[in-house]
Amino acid sequence: MKIDPKTQDKFFNILKAVVIPRPIAFVSSQSKDGVLNLAPFSFFNGVCYDPPTISVSIARFAGNKPKDSLVNIEETGEFVVNLVNQDIAQAMNKTAAEYPADVNEFEVAGLTPTASEIVAAPCVLESPVSLECKLIQVVPVNEGSSKECGLIIAEVVYCHINDDLFDGRYVDMKGLDVVGRLGGHEYCKVNDLFEMRLPIYKEE
Ligand SMILES: Cc1cc2nc3c(=O)[nH]c(=O)nc-3n(C[C@H](O)[C@H](O)[C@H](O)COP(=O)(O)O)c2cc1C
């Protein structure tokens, strides 16, 4: 089958199913009036190591409603990316409904906000890793359309990681126990691991 994305109105189902598995940025942010917000975003990735930089793509609207996370990040320039392990996967999912801007999604999810070191937005206590981020740039994609996205590029300015997950050199990948996003309603458990060493090229 050959598909032109412009003529297949369910192409987003293909895109979400083939760009996999996606890490989930469980983003905590704060409005300028101090309302706490939590929401998951899986169009999330690393951008560069030094300074540590990540990207998260957030659609500007859900229907007619602006997505609160994007509004908060643009207004305050700060947020936290929390990782999602199996223990908090259900709680994460609860925050993905389109709640009004004045709803505190920590309460919806039954999760605990805990003070960050540098940014005003709190970390999620129950998350194994939290990355405090400062906004570098929002790159508008498809600007002016109802499908507009804001590609957020941000520097990681502080990291919280559970003591038992980092030995000073490597992260315990099995212990991290994160979940990944697939297509449809499916997720995967990132705990079935294998190793490959980088090959070394030697000139003959
Ligand atoms: C696992 C998962 C991943 C998601 N990834 C994205 C994403 O990458 N970009 C996006 O705009 N929405 C994504 N969503 C939908 C948002 O989480 C949802 O629109 C949320 O209500 C936005 O909340 P807010 O208005 O508080 O920012 C995702 C939802 C789930 C459950």
Side-chain angles (χ1 to χ4, degrees):
M1 195 183 299
K2 298 180 187 209
I3 298 176
D4 175 352
K6 291 192 180 68
T7 62
Q8 170 50 269
D9 64 352
K10 296 284 183 257
F11 194 77
F12 66 94
N13 279 339
I14 297 180
L15 189 69
K16 286 197 299 186
V18 299
V19 183
I20 53 159
R22 292 188 303 287
I24 299 171
F26 195 19
V27 170
S28 39
S29 63
Q30 198 169 357
S31 75
K32 57 179 178 359
D33 304 324
V35 180
L36 301 186
N37 196 85
L38 259 181
F41 300 97
S42 63
F43 281 17
F44 161 51
N45 225 313
V47 173
C48 55
Y49 292 122
D50 192 8
T53 306
I54 54 109
S55 67
V56 185
S57 176
I58 303 183
R60 187 161 292 285
F61 301 103
N64 292 329
K65 180 190 164 292
K67 294 211 183 189
D68 301 321
S69 305
L70 185 53
V71 172
N72 293 348
I73 292 167
E74 287 180 320
E75 285 184 355
T76 65
E78 298 180 342
F79 61 104
V80 180
V81 169
N82 306 277
L83 294 200
V84 178
N85 60 16
Q86 289 191 52
D87 289 346
I88 62 170
Q90 300 288 341
M92 170 279 292
N93 195 38
K94 284 186 189 159
T95 69
E98 307 299 340
Y99 297 101
D102 58 354
V103 170
N104 175 341
E105 282 146 336
F106 276 89
E107 287 171 7
V108 169
L111 294 170
T112 318
T114 178
S116 293
E117 289 290 325
I118 295 181
V119 305
C123 299
V124 173
L125 180 68
E126 292 82 357
S127 171
V129 180
S130 298
L131 305 173
E132 296 185 30
C133 296
K134 282 208 181 256
L135 179 63
I136 297 172
Q137 193 183 350
V138 180
V139 180
V141 179
N142 210 1
E143 198 172 12
S145 123
S146 59
K147 305 258 174 66
E148 179 178 337
C149 290
L151 177 63
I152 291 162
I153 301 175
E155 181 176 343
V156 176
V157 292
Y158 209 83
C159 172
H160 306 250
I161 182 161
N162 286 358
D163 292 347
D164 55 340
L165 292 178
F166 184 58
D167 64 5
R169 190 153 185 220
Y170 292 114
V171 172
D172 172 2
M173 296 307 306
K174 241 183 161 33
L176 204 56
D177 199 30
V178 291
V179 297
R181 182 77 167 115
L182 304 172
H185 302 295
E186 288 167 312
Y187 292 80
C188 60
K189 300 171 181 176
V190 185
N191 59 13
D192 185 7
L193 314 176
F194 67 99
E195 277 194 28
M196 275 200 283
R197 305 275 162 159
L198 265 187
I200 297 166
Y201 172 72
K202 284 201 192 108
E203 246 176 287
E204 296 293 309

